[in-house]
Amino acid sequence: MNCCKRLDAWELLNASPDEFAAGVQEIDKALRAEIRRLQDTRSRLARLAAGEHLALPPSVVDYLERLRGLGVEGRYIEMERDAWIMIAAQVPHSIDSFIAKKHEELNDPDMVKLYSLLSGALDWPADDPRIVEVADIMEHLMIRALEAGEVGADDGIDDQFVDLLDSTMAESSPHAAGLLATLEERGWSGWTRIDRVPADRLDTHR
C-alpha cells in the first residue's frame, strides 16, 4: 500500500500542469471529506461523553442538533447546552414551549447570522469591530420582539435564576461584558430577560 502511495505521488510530480492541478484538487476534496467525517465523529463522542441525551429533554437535543447543522462551533453549543440543562431543571414544564420559540427564531436569517457571529466570537480579539455588528443585530431583534409584545412578558422563570443565567453568560466570553455594556448604552438591559428601550429607537426604519 505504501508503494502505491509513493507511485501516485511520483506520477503527480511528473504530471502535466493540468493533470497536477486536477490531482491536487482531488486530494483536497478527499481530505476535506475526511476532515468532516472526523469532526462528526468527535461531535458524537463529545455528546456521548457529556451525557447530553440523558441530561436534556429530546426537544432541546433536537435544537442543539439544529445549531450543529447550521455550523455553530462546538464550544458555543456546549455553553448553550449547559444553560439549557439549568433551565430544564428549573422550569421543566416550560422547556418545550421555550424550545419551540427558539426553533421559530432560527427561521429568521438575522438570528442565524447572529449565531454565526457569536459562535466565532470566542476567538475574536478584544477590540474586534464585529462586536458592534453583533450589538446591531441583537438590538434589531430586540426592537422587533418589543413591537410584537414579547418583551416584559411573564416567562415563569425566577428572578434569581435569571440573574444566574445572565452572570453565566457574562463570564462565558471576554466580549460578553462589552456587548452588554454596548446594549445598555443603547437603552437595553438584561440577556435572558430583555427589558426597556428608549421610545425614539422603536422606529426600526430610522
Side-chain angles (χ1 to χ4, degrees):
M1 188 171 182
N2 290 336
C3 292
C4 293
K5 285 186 177 180
R6 285 195 296 268
L7 182 61
D8 290 341
W10 179 258
E11 290 178 345
L12 189 61
L13 290 173
N14 288 275
S16 68
D18 290 342
E19 291 173 335
F20 181 85
V24 169
Q25 187 174 6
E26 285 298 317
I27 293 173
D28 180 69
K29 182 179 178 181
L31 287 173
R32 288 177 181 274
E34 181 65 10
I35 289 170
R36 286 194 297 270
R37 186 188 68 79
L38 292 173
Q39 287 175 334
D40 288 343
T41 300
R42 287 189 64 192
S43 178
R44 287 194 298 271
L45 289 173
R47 294 199 299 274
L48 288 173
E52 185 172 283
H53 289 72
L54 299 177
L56 286 170
S59 60
V60 180
V61 175
D62 291 343
Y63 176 71
L64 296 178
E65 287 292 344
R66 186 173 178 186
L67 293 183
R68 291 187 179 97
L70 292 173
V72 177
E73 288 188 4
R75 288 180 298 167
Y76 188 87
I77 291 178
E78 288 175 5
M79 292 192 300
E80 280 248 351
R81 179 200 65 204
D82 293 344
W84 284 115
I85 288 174
M86 291 191 292
I87 294 172
Q90 178 76 9
V91 285
H93 302 299
S94 302
I95 193 71
D96 286 342
S97 62
F98 290 161
I99 289 297
K101 178 62 178 174
K102 297 296 288 184
H103 275 294
E104 182 181 334
E105 291 174 351
L106 280 184
N107 294 326
D108 186 334
D110 284 341
M111 183 62 74
V112 174
K113 185 175 181 180
L114 178 62
Y115 263 111
S116 176
L117 288 167
L118 290 175
S119 173
L122 297 175
D123 296 320
W124 291 353
D127 58 348
D128 196 297
R130 286 173 291 184
I131 296 296
V132 177
E133 184 179 3
V134 170
D136 289 342
I137 296 175
M138 288 189 64
E139 184 178 23
H140 179 62
L141 292 169
M142 289 171 175
I143 290 174
R144 284 165 48 186
L146 183 70
E147 292 176 337
E150 297 171 355
V151 173
D154 184 12
D155 52 20
I157 302 179
D158 180 80
D159 290 344
Q160 291 183 335
F161 185 61
V162 170
D163 291 340
L164 173 62
L165 290 174
D166 283 358
S167 63
T168 301
M169 188 287 301
E171 296 169 0
S172 65
S173 167
H175 309 293
L179 176 59
L180 288 174
T182 299
L183 291 171
E184 286 178 2
E185 289 173 1
R186 301 182 182 190
W188 297 99
S189 63
W191 179 272
T192 305
R193 182 184 292 149
I194 300 163
D195 189 26
R196 201 173 65 80
V197 65
D200 63 355
R201 298 192 70 84
L202 289 180
D203 184 1
T204 59
H205 300 291
R206 288 183 57 179

